[in-house]
Amino acid sequence: AMPRLLSALAADGLKVNEIRTRVQPAVTSYPGDGRLAPSSNPSPGMQWPRSEAGAVAAVVKLMDSVPDSPLKEAARKLAETLRKRADRS
């Protein structure tokens, strides 16, 4: 989707230097829409971990399965954040 977005923005005359994305380790509803149901369904066969430790393990597994890349760095940061949250609990 990112190349299409950049192309559309460039077609409108906007020069984009950076687009940031974030990854959340759980399915959540959109804030303020009044629904408790998730905004999307998880991928078939994908079960989100219910605990912080399970989420950290799942993210570390992802991190170990991809080569050095921005995705691996994002997974590393996500695992670090989840570990900090688990330590606070």
Side-chain angles (χ1 to χ4, degrees):
M2 196 67 67
R4 288 190 311 240
L5 177 60
L6 289 170
S7 177
L9 291 170
D12 287 342
L14 297 171
K15 182 180 177 185
V16 178
N17 294 322
E18 179 180 26
I19 295 179
R20 291 184 171 192
T21 58
R22 293 179 63 179
V23 178
Q24 250 181 305
V27 178
T28 61
S29 62
Y30 288 105
D33 70 356
R35 292 182 296 134
L36 294 177
S39 60
S40 62
N41 296 320
S43 302
M46 177 68 169
Q47 295 295 322
W48 287 104
R50 298 290 179 203
S51 70
E52 287 88 358
V56 170
V59 173
V60 168
K61 183 178 176 182
L62 166 69
M63 191 174 64
D64 291 341
S65 69
V66 296
D68 288 340
S69 64
L71 175 60
K72 186 168 192 151
E73 179 61 17
R76 185 195 63 73
K77 288 179 181 179
L78 177 58
E80 184 179 312
T81 299
L82 292 173
R83 280 188 190 110
K84 287 178 184 176
R85 286 184 187 171
D87 290 345
R88 282 189 240 147
S89 299

